[in-house]
């Protein structure tokens, strides 16, 4: 295998061992997911990586088995075959891993209960004329040692200083892990959060190439920091790709029925037509789609 792979569009994708496709089962697949899948499976092929399918069902209120099953069925119809998985964030080994990571962070004195709500953040923003930023939370909960019998979220102090990384598509990036306050690792409903679960999963599943939409670019610095705090020696490589946007320029959501894979199927589209349209709307380079 060559040391690096020059793609037709000029950016370089070094060899990787493992990447993943990680949809949340909170809705049906839409063309935005399909574009992401084309990027993921394209990267896996170009970089010589294994593709893992991880169903990110950390949000137990919003995740539904009907969506989980539909995602698997639509992926198969589209012809995306994972080398491993599906694995889920509600699998017993996943739940054990999140608990162990929290224990690790607690032993390091970094985890704390927080009673702040959206309203607390909004009140702070009204008072100071700017959004809360920097380590901590508006209620200074880390210094308050709230009792465990109150309804709280759990935060982890990620500390100060920036994290830098080289995005495969976008080049050098720098971000502040604590830009939006300390990271919530478990919310008031008792769910592990996306940012917490994804970092632990990417670490324990040996993911070294993360291919995802550019809406998560701002989340990356804190994911790198959390991984470091959990003992990850080198972060994965990141590729943040353009999002498919609806005609209005909005980010697509699962409620945009006109772009749902199920609806396109019902309207008689073939898998190749759906993939082609998603690749076009998602600006996927031609070399990645073959
Ligand atoms: N479950 C996340 C999503 O659907 C995955 C993001 C990621 O790839 O890190 O947005
Ligand atoms: Zn707080």
């Amino acid at each position: 295998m060559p040391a690096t792979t020059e793609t037709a569009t000029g950016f370089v994708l070094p060899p990787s061992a493992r990447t993943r496709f990680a949809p949340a089962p909170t809705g049906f697949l839409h063309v935005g997911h399909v574009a992401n899948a084309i990027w993921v499976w394209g990267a896996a092929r170009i970089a010589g990586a294994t593709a893992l399918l991880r169903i990110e069902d950390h949000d137990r209120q919003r995740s539904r088995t009907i969506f989980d099953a539909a995602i698997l069925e639509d992926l198969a119809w589209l012809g995306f075959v994972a080398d491993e998985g599906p694995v889920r964030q509600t699998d017993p080994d996943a739940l054990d891993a999140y608990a162990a990571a929290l224990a690790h962070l607690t032993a390091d004195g970094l985890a704390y209960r927080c009673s702040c709500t959206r309203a607390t953040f909004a009140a702070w923003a009204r008072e100071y004329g700017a959004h809360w930023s920097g380590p901590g939370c508006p209620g200074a909960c880390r210094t308050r040692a709230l009792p465990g019998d109150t309804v709280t979220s759990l935060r982890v102090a990620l500390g100060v200083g920036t994290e830098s990384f080289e995005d495969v598509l976008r080049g050098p990036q720098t971000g502040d892990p604590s830009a939006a306050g300390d990271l919530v690792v478990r919310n008031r409903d008792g769910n592990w959060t996306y940012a917490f679960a994804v970092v632990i999963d990417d670490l324990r599943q040996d993911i070294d190439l993360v291919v995802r939409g550019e809406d998560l670019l701002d989340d990356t610095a804190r994911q790198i920091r959390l991984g470091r705090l959990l003992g990850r020696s080198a972060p994965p490589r990141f590729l943040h790709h353009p999002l498919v946007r609806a005609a209005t320029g909005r980010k697509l959501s699962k409620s945009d029925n006109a772009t749902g894979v199920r609806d396109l199927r019902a309207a008689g589209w073939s898998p190749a037509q759906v993939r082609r349209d998603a690749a076009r709307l998602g600006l996927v380079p031609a070399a990645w789609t073959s």
Side-chain angles (χ1 to χ4, degrees), residues 174-274:
T174 297
D176 175 0
S178 303
D182 284 338
L183 176 69
V184 175
V185 301
R186 204 173 62 201
N187 68 18
R188 299 165 80 86
D189 299 324
N191 292 318
W192 300 109
T193 60
Y194 154 69
F196 184 66
V198 80
V199 168
I200 293 158
D201 289 342
D202 285 341
L203 175 56
R204 73 197 183 93
Q205 292 161 355
D206 295 323
I207 301 298
D208 64 356
L209 176 62
V210 171
V211 179
R212 61 189 182 190
E214 65 188 11
D215 53 330
L216 288 161
L217 196 56
D218 287 344
D219 222 63
T220 304
R222 63 182 188 166
Q223 293 185 17
I224 292 173
R225 177 66 57 82
L226 178 61
R228 194 190 303 290
L229 293 174
L230 290 171
R232 181 160 192 153
S233 50
R237 194 173 309 110
F238 292 94
L239 185 163
H240 289 94
H241 59 72
L243 296 177
V244 171
R245 293 183 191 276
T248 54
R250 288 174 298 125
K251 182 187 164 192
L252 286 182
S253 78
K254 286 161 190 164
S255 55
D256 279 309
N257 288 328
T259 58
V261 173
R262 301 247 128 174
D263 303 285
L264 298 173
R265 286 176 71 167
W269 289 47
S270 70
Q273 283 175 315
V274 175

Side-chain angles (χ1 to χ4, degrees), residues 112-116 137-142 144 155:
Y112 63 92
R113 282 187 280 274
C114 166
S115 59
C116 297
C137 60
C141 297
R142 195 176 180 195
R144 291 166 59 210
R155 286 185 196 268

Side-chain angles (χ1 to χ4, degrees), residues 51-169:
L52 168 74
L53 175 59
R54 180 199 303 146
I55 302 291
E56 298 210 323
D57 57 352
H58 57 92
D59 186 329
R60 287 170 305 177
Q61 282 77 37
R62 293 178 58 228
S63 296
R64 300 268 183 279
T65 50
I66 182 179
F67 295 135
D68 188 319
I71 288 170
L72 300 186
E73 214 266 319
D74 284 342
L75 284 176
W77 179 78
L78 287 160
F80 294 108
V81 179
D83 300 300
E84 288 176 36
V87 295
R88 293 181 177 76
Q89 294 177 322
T90 48
D91 290 342
D93 64 324
L95 298 174
D96 287 350
Y98 307 145
L102 177 61
H104 177 131
L105 295 163
T106 303
D108 287 346
L110 299 175
Y112 63 92
R113 282 187 280 274
C114 166
S115 59
C116 297
T117 61
R118 276 177 214 278
T120 321
F121 279 81
W124 197 94
R126 270 196 307 278
E127 188 170 345
Y128 295 96
H131 289 297
W132 169 267
S133 89
C137 60
C141 297
R142 195 176 180 195
T143 61
R144 291 166 59 210
L146 296 165
D149 56 356
T150 48
V151 179
T152 59
S153 55
L154 273 181
R155 286 185 196 268
V156 162
L158 296 181
V160 296
T162 58
E163 291 286 352
S164 296
F165 63 99
E166 178 91 15
D167 188 273
V168 173
L169 275 189

